[in-house]
Amino acid sequence: MAHRTVAPPPLSDHVIQVEAIAFLDARGHWLTAATARRVAAVREFFRQHAHLRRDFLRERAAEERLAGRLALELFSRATQRVRWLLTTGEGPTTRIHRAEAGRDLGLLFAGTDSGLDGLTSERDQRWNLNHPRPLPPTGFRVSRLDDNGSAGRDQTHHLAFYAMFGATNDSAPGEQMVKLMAILSDLGPPDDHHLAWDGIDLGRKLGDPRFDVNAWLWKTVGDPGQVPQPVEAVAS
């Protein structure tokens, strides 16, 4: 099977909007045709309803997992959806709610929305894609693999946890790492320091509308060679 040498393409804004509206329609959250066409209205609805937003994010990622997408693909696409849903304003006033985006990623892949409170209890794992069956480390380059053998702490877990921490703390990266190590001292050091730094860096960038998160993830932690090419590309 042929594989890519470049990152898979990002999701388009239109695709995410269509997915979001279909999700609401399926649950009886009726939107008028005019409202559904207004991107700001769809985003505002999801911004105000965090549980629905996280249900949507988990449902889409779970479906893509069943379709065979790599773990890093799931992470990238979920992050793109999070940022789109949490975008407000337009033009020079465009803003992405960084801290909330970090909390969504933390819940979706690490089962927690706060580095200060540690991991949430079992009953709060409803959005966690790594519970009870962790995602395999597919899509990640060898230098970002965790070989400690722990079944519950894979790459997407690490990346999301540190991204959540970076997104919700405004101190400098070095200060954040010191603070994080103190918080996690009873759990031991992080299994992959590279992934910890990458995650904190990602979290700090989540609120920048100019940030291309898909390109950054594949350039920083990914191995595009693992992504199968579309059938039509192979045939050509």
Side-chain angles (χ1 to χ4, degrees), residues 9 32 36 54 58-59 87 111 113 117 124 141 147 149 168 189 191 203 227 229 233:
T32 66
R54 292 160 184 165
R58 193 192 192 288
E59 179 179 286
T87 296
D113 65 355
D117 297 333
D124 294 323
R141 65 182 58 169
D147 60 359
T168 55
D191 299 300
V227 185
Q229 288 190 30

Side-chain angles (χ1 to χ4, degrees), residues 103-185:
R103 283 189 282 268
D104 281 1
L105 289 179
L107 287 165
L108 195 61
F109 291 97
T112 180
D113 65 355
S114 173
L116 296 178
D117 297 333
L119 300 180
T120 56
S121 59
E122 190 78 8
R123 68 179 182 274
D124 294 323
Q125 300 291 332
R126 60 180 286 187
W127 296 293
N128 188 0
L129 288 162
N130 282 305
H131 177 81
R133 184 168 58 94
L135 290 162
T138 51
F140 287 83
R141 65 182 58 169
V142 173
S143 65
R144 294 303 189 269
L145 294 184
D146 167 20
D147 60 359
N148 76 336
S150 176
R153 302 293 296 276
D154 80 314
Q155 281 65 34
T156 55
H157 176 287
H158 282 316
L159 198 57
F161 182 86
Y162 296 123
M164 174 272 299
F165 190 84
T168 55
N169 287 269
D170 292 324
S171 55
E175 295 173 1
Q176 288 186 10
M177 180 59 79
V178 171
K179 184 177 181 182
L180 182 59
M181 291 306 95
I183 292 167
L184 299 180
S185 59

Side-chain angles (χ1 to χ4, degrees), residues 60-137:
R60 294 300 305 133
E63 290 175 357
E64 291 177 342
R65 181 180 192 173
L66 289 175
R69 290 193 180 274
L70 305 178
L72 187 58
E73 283 188 283
L74 300 181
F75 190 94
S76 174
R77 293 164 75 90
T79 307
Q80 292 172 64
R81 292 185 180 105
V82 166
R83 281 163 43 88
W84 188 89
L85 292 170
L86 292 173
T87 296
T88 58
E90 57 184 45
T93 64
T94 300
R95 177 195 174 201
I96 298 174
H97 295 266
R98 185 185 76 178
E100 192 68 6
R103 283 189 282 268
D104 281 1
L105 289 179
L107 287 165
L108 195 61
F109 291 97
T112 180
D113 65 355
S114 173
L116 296 178
D117 297 333
L119 300 180
T120 56
S121 59
E122 190 78 8
R123 68 179 182 274
D124 294 323
Q125 300 291 332
R126 60 180 286 187
W127 296 293
N128 188 0
L129 288 162
N130 282 305
H131 177 81
R133 184 168 58 94
L135 290 162

